[in-house]
């Protein structure tokens, strides 16, 4: 799930804050709860998001899961905006850019992950999500002229994709792996850095508050799913309680509240520290899938995940300034 701290983040469950954009000084109010506790909470709820997606798709269609997630997430941000007396941004140009950001950072990846988990375990989906920093590194070398390649970062890129091949069991010919589900999960993780590069080029320094932009982005993503969902799904004949509760939790906690928590962490300790949450998400997703859903785990999954995270960490190493 990509975050507000840059193109390398996981879930775009995150505010529209460019990687190098500092929060306004007026919004730097130190909360009562230590940022480390909030950091752990954020990693926990984002890690459990893949389990919640899996449970939600057991009772509802993937588009319905995504629509519910966005609807409840938007409601949380609407309450936050009302409390802080924030207004939605103005200007057709800004809304146009936000519509693209909503598609790339929310509507598309959320839907892809929901469809992917119809055929792949939540553990694999969580690990695929961790490839976002790798995709972000590869794309930034092409799209962002200020991101110069270094030997360490290129080595991290190669190491990370070696880890992906390890997770997928390439030496076995990807035997027993659902190709379409895995491809959708990887495309979802690719969509995040594409969206963040777009945000960085179009919305950085727009003059609107981060909360305002984020609320508008989620609202637009909800509208997009409200249009698409009836076209590809029919109204459920029954409403299973457990999957419905999973969708509510996914929206309220894993989307709306998580975005507010992460925004506060970025404002307090900066994006570099906040982005470290990326490396805890697949660990928690794997533990939750195995312990709660009873998903199987072979040696290649944790080993490959560790290699992916090591490569992703190397891609974030900044070159030394002379």
């Amino acid at each position: 799930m990509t975050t507000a701290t840059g193109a390398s983040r996981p879930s775009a469950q995150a505010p529209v804050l460019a990687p190098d954009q500092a929060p306004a000084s007026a919004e730097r109010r130190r909360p009562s709860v230590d940022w480390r506790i909030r950091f752990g909470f954020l990693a926990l709820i984002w890690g459990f998001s893949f389990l919640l997606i899996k449970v939600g798709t057991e009772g509802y269609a993937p588009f319905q899961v995504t629509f519910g997630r966005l609807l409840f997430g938007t409601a949380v941000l609407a309450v936050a905006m009302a409390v802080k007396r924030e207004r939605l941004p103005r200007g057709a140009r800004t809304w146009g850019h936000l519509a693209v950001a909503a598609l790339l950072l929310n509507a598309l990846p959320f839907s892809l992950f929901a469809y992917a988990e119809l055929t792949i375990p939540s553990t694999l989906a969580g690990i695929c999500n961790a490839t976002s920093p790798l995709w972000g590194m590869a794309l930034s070398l092409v799209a962002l002229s200020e991101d110069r390649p270094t030997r360490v970062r290129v080595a991290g890129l190669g190491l990370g994709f070696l880890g992906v091949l390890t997770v997928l069991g390439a030496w076995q010919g990807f035997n027993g792996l659902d190709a379409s589900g895995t491809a959708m999960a990887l495309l979802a993780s690719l969509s995040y850095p594409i969206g963040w590069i777009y945000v960085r080029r179009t919305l950085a320094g727009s003059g609107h508050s981060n909360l305002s932009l984020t609320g508008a982005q989620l609202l637009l993503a909800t509208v997009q799913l409200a249009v698409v969902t009836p076209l590809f799904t029919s109204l459920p004949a029954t409403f299973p309680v457990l999957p419905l509760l999973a969708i509510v939790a996914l929206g309220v906690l894993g989307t709306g509240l998580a975005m507010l928590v992460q925004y506060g962490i970025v404002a307090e300790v900066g994006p570099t520290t906040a982005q470290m949450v990326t490396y805890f998400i697949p660990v928690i997703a794997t533990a939750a899938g195995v312990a709660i859903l009873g998903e199987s785990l072979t040696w290649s999954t944790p080993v490959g995940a560790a290699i992916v995270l090591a490569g992703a960490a190397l891609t974030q190493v900044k070159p030394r300034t002379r």
Side-chain angles (χ1 to χ4, degrees), residues 135-307:
W135 296 119
M137 169 64 184
L139 291 171
S140 66
L141 295 179
V142 178
L144 299 175
S145 59
E146 64 268 30
D147 284 344
R148 300 298 182 184
T150 64
R151 291 181 180 179
V152 172
R153 301 180 78 183
V154 172
L157 188 62
L159 182 64
F161 284 111
L162 177 62
V164 173
L165 295 177
T166 303
V167 171
L168 302 182
W171 67 93
Q172 298 175 337
F174 308 105
N175 187 31
L177 186 71
D178 184 79
S180 61
T182 304
M184 283 189 285
L186 290 173
L187 285 174
S189 67
L190 172 61
S191 180
Y192 290 137
I194 293 175
W196 279 115
I197 290 174
Y198 181 84
V199 165
R200 186 169 176 175
R201 288 186 174 276
T202 60
L203 289 170
S206 64
H208 299 286
S209 75
N210 187 44
L211 179 59
S212 175
L213 291 172
T214 302
Q217 176 189 316
L218 267 195
L219 175 62
L220 288 169
T222 305
V223 172
Q224 291 168 356
L225 262 294
V227 173
V228 171
T229 301
L231 298 178
F232 294 94
T233 65
S234 57
L235 191 66
T238 60
F239 294 87
V241 176
L242 185 60
L244 182 59
L245 291 176
I247 295 173
V248 173
L250 185 63
V252 173
L253 298 176
T255 305
L257 183 59
M259 295 171 75
L260 295 175
V261 171
Q262 199 238 5
Y263 167 55
I265 294 174
V266 171
E268 184 174 347
V269 299
T272 301
T273 301
Q275 76 177 356
M276 296 302 293
V277 72
T278 303
Y279 307 113
F280 293 90
I281 293 173
V283 177
I284 296 173
T286 300
V290 173
I292 299 177
L293 298 180
E295 297 177 345
S296 60
L297 187 68
T298 61
W299 69 267
S300 60
T301 301
V303 170
I307 297 174

Side-chain angles (χ1 to χ4, degrees), residues 53-61 64-65 236 238-240 242-244 247:
I53 293 172
K54 173 68 79 173
V55 175
T57 55
E58 292 176 354
Y60 300 92
Q64 293 170 346
V65 172
T238 60
F239 294 87
L242 185 60
L244 182 59
I247 295 173

